[in-house]
Amino acid sequence: MKVSLPETEKENSYSSRESWPPYTYRDYPDIAPGTYKEFIEFLSTENTSNKVMELQPWISFCDSRCTFCYYPNNPYSSSMMEPYLEALRKELMMYAETKYVKTSEFDEIVLGGGTPTLMTKDQMFGLIKFCEQNFNTTDDYFIKITGSSRSFSKEKLVAAADYGVFQVDMGAQTFDDKLRRMLNLPDSAEHVKDEVKLARKLGLCVCIDIMYNIPGQTLESWTDTVKTAIDLDAEVDAYCLEVYPETILYKQMQAGKAPPQADPELEKKMYVAAYELFTEAGYKPIGHDRYSRVEWHAKENCLNGWPWAGILTTGAGCFMGYIQKFSYSNIEAAKDYIAAVNEGRLPIAKLSKSTDQDMMRKVMTKLYLRLPVDKQEFKERFGKLPEEVYPEQLKRLKDKGLIEIDEKEIKLTKLGDLWKANIAWEFAENK
Ligand code: SF4
């Protein structure tokens, strides 16, 4: 296929593409007594943000280790699941009983992880019911279940459809079996396709993760995966693989047992090829890496409410939690997590409270999420327009053709979409 980088790309490019914006959970400080106290006090206040939140119980077990995985998770053992779920329900109740949560509404219940589909069918729907009974949901809330293609049995998919689950998420990663074996993804591409087809036939929305810049992946292999995802009529999160030093894959690459990743030019071509194929097929780029043909996804509150709304995440190793100015991640080891909950405290490991300066920078990361920055809202919150706070950065990005600024808002251009993580870094404190 023809892969065309935008004409002005050469002179505009940074030396390399960033994959993630600033403010990942790894940078949060370890929990300190003072910040914990402030967080607890904050939770005893009313939610006056007028924003709807997402509830995310997290099942941190996996039954195999993908070689690229850098997420905190725990090896699966069926005997651990019940004690873990008991602790998870206790943690959920600690939040449910706070004034903040009692005065909040949730428009999504997302079973995240890890691999929630390692739960039995009864455990899975018991947990969803528990959330529905103890948290306020909007009239039109959605349920999503994350899982691996090999543990979404037919029985669980049928039960999900019958229950009214809106979406199932599966980490397909690639439809190239050679790459799947290298990444230690146990089932075949054919099996993943069959699972997605079955879920679609049952009327479920299916979102799959796929990755580009896997070591040894060619442009053809990547575009085949993209085309397969389109043929399956799946929603897609198309990530650039970042290989972290603590992963099995990194060690294999260092030892020469896995090939290197693509050079930056090929990586950009992979991004552009996916962008073109998805948009030609009627997908809209939304969020940081999503391509969607489902109208509702563009309206999701957890996306559009950033950074003021909230994701109330719970469970061992969960790391995407944020409620207004507070961001947190939980204790990773399941045993330590259970012990902390049984001591009657929130099992938080890292907790950060943003200053107003941080919040301004977070608002600018809306560009990374492919959302416009509303200039008037920025002024109402912070007393100044973005141009007054970030004159140099905005001028530089505009001159490079990466953003457009008008009376109302600041938004990415098509070229800016390619560099959206780099753009977010322009506003970081220690760029
Ligand atoms: S399924 Fe997800 S969390 Fe589990 S090992 Fe693979 S990438 Fe990591």
Side-chain angles (χ1 to χ4, degrees):
M1 70 171 294
K2 182 174 150 278
V3 177
S4 54
L5 288 167
E7 269 179 22
T8 49
E9 189 273 328
K10 280 272 182 282
E11 70 227 33
N12 285 332
S13 64
Y14 296 82
S15 56
S16 63
R17 287 176 76 223
E18 297 282 354
S19 296
W20 296 100
Y23 309 114
T24 67
Y25 79 101
R26 284 161 195 264
D27 304 322
Y28 302 159
D30 288 344
I31 189 162
T35 328
Y36 184 72
K37 187 167 168 274
E38 278 187 78
F39 186 47
I40 298 295
E41 283 166 5
F42 170 76
L43 290 173
S44 69
T45 65
E46 202 170 310
N47 180 358
T48 53
S49 69
N50 290 323
K51 305 279 184 193
V52 177
M53 295 171 69
E54 173 182 326
L55 182 62
Q56 200 182 69
W58 189 275
I59 304 297
S60 78
F61 299 105
C62 289
D63 56 355
S64 69
R65 186 78 176 165
C66 309
T67 62
F68 59 90
C69 181
Y70 66 98
Y71 301 116
N73 62 17
N74 288 270
Y76 173 63
S77 97
S78 57
S79 61
M80 276 289 280
M81 192 60 96
E82 265 313 319
Y84 178 82
L85 287 173
E86 201 185 316
L88 182 59
R89 287 189 290 267
K90 275 189 196 166
E91 187 198 3
L92 283 162
M93 282 314 293
M94 286 185 212
Y95 283 106
E97 283 163 358
T98 65
K99 187 168 183 182
Y100 192 89
V101 172
K102 281 185 180 162
T103 53
S104 299
E105 273 197 316
F106 295 81
D107 74 339
E108 285 185 59
I109 298 173
V110 180
L111 299 192
T115 313
T117 41
L118 290 173
M119 284 187 281
T120 63
K121 191 179 74 168
D122 290 345
Q123 286 169 332
M124 204 152 75
F125 293 101
L127 179 57
I128 293 171
K129 272 205 181 91
F130 181 85
C131 293
E132 291 172 321
Q133 283 162 355
N134 291 292
F135 293 82
N136 305 319
T137 47
T138 57
D139 292 341
D140 54 355
Y141 72 99
F142 285 95
I143 301 166
K144 295 185 196 170
I145 302 176
T146 308
S148 67
S149 41
R150 66 188 180 282
S151 55
F152 259 123
S153 62
K154 182 174 180 185
E155 186 200 16
K156 286 176 195 168
L157 284 173
V158 170
D162 287 348
Y163 195 90
V165 168
F166 173 69
Q167 179 174 302
V168 293
D169 290 359
M170 295 184 202
Q173 317 306 358
T174 169
F175 291 106
D176 182 328
D177 274 327
K178 198 166 144 231
L179 297 178
R180 291 185 67 76
R181 283 191 290 276
M182 186 187 63
L183 298 175
N184 196 30
L185 299 166
D187 55 348
S188 67
E190 230 21 68
H191 181 255
V192 182
K193 287 186 219 170
D194 288 346
E195 292 300 291
V196 176
K197 281 182 200 162
L198 174 61
R200 292 295 296 126
K201 206 168 152 197
L202 290 165
L204 291 158
C205 178
V206 181
C207 184
I208 57 173
D209 286 353
I210 55 173
M211 298 192 304
Y212 60 100
N213 207 3
I214 299 169
Q217 187 182 37
T218 61
L219 183 59
E220 287 66 34
S221 165
W222 167 239
T223 53
D224 282 351
T225 285
V226 171
K227 286 176 193 168
T228 303
I230 294 170
D231 289 346
L232 290 168
D233 193 24
E235 296 290 286
V236 182
D237 279 328
Y239 292 95
C240 181
L241 171 62
E242 190 151 348
V243 183
Y244 288 90
E246 62 269 35
T247 59
I248 299 166
L249 185 56
Y250 180 85
K251 287 169 195 145
Q252 288 173 337
M253 286 165 66
Q254 292 294 303
K257 290 181 183 161
Q261 288 184 282
D263 63 39
E265 283 308 305
L266 180 52
E267 186 218 291
K268 275 189 281 182
K269 281 188 181 164
M270 288 178 171
Y271 164 86
V272 174
Y275 188 99
E276 299 295 346
L277 284 166
F278 280 123
T279 50
E280 275 164 22
Y283 284 77
K284 260 176 91 173
I286 58 169
H288 51 80
D289 285 301
R290 173 75 53 91
Y291 292 94
S292 176
R293 288 195 285 207
V294 176
E295 184 68 16
W296 179 75
H297 278 137
K299 297 181 187 155
E300 279 185 73
N301 281 297
C302 68
L303 174 67
N304 292 284
W306 172 257
W308 308 104
I311 299 179
L312 177 52
T313 188
T314 51
C318 66
F319 56 85
M320 284 189 276
Y322 85 93
I323 305 177
Q324 295 200 37
K325 290 186 176 183
F326 291 92
S327 304
Y328 65 94
S329 63
N330 270 359
I331 294 169
E332 295 179 6
K335 276 194 176 150
D336 297 342
Y337 163 81
I338 293 170
V341 172
N342 287 336
E343 281 167 21
R345 65 183 167 93
L346 292 176
I348 293 174
K350 293 178 167 222
L351 176 64
S352 126
K353 185 185 177 196
S354 296
T355 62
D356 279 351
Q357 302 294 318
D358 292 332
M359 291 308 276
M360 282 189 223
R361 287 189 275 266
K362 286 187 179 181
V363 170
M364 298 313 291
T365 61
K366 277 174 167 257
L367 295 170
Y368 170 72
L369 296 173
R370 294 162 157 159
L371 293 170
V373 174
D374 183 323
K375 289 169 50 172
Q376 207 45 46
E377 188 188 44
F378 191 99
K379 184 155 188 179
E380 277 160 25
R381 298 250 183 209
F382 305 114
K384 287 180 179 179
L385 286 167
E387 291 97 319
E388 295 172 274
V389 183
Y390 303 111
E392 288 163 25
Q393 291 94 325
L394 291 173
K395 182 179 181 314
R396 185 162 59 239
L397 293 170
K398 190 167 176 242
D399 290 347
K400 285 181 171 186
L402 300 176
I403 58 168
E404 284 166 5
I405 307 177
D406 63 22
E407 286 301 300
K408 262 181 69 197
E409 59 191 22
I410 303 167
K411 59 184 182 196
L412 285 184
T413 60
K414 186 178 173 189
L415 178 61
D417 199 280
L418 176 66
W419 299 106
K420 58 190 187 303
N422 300 65
I423 291 170
W425 273 98
E426 290 280 358
F427 304 97
E429 191 176 15
N430 302 311
K431 182 165 122 38

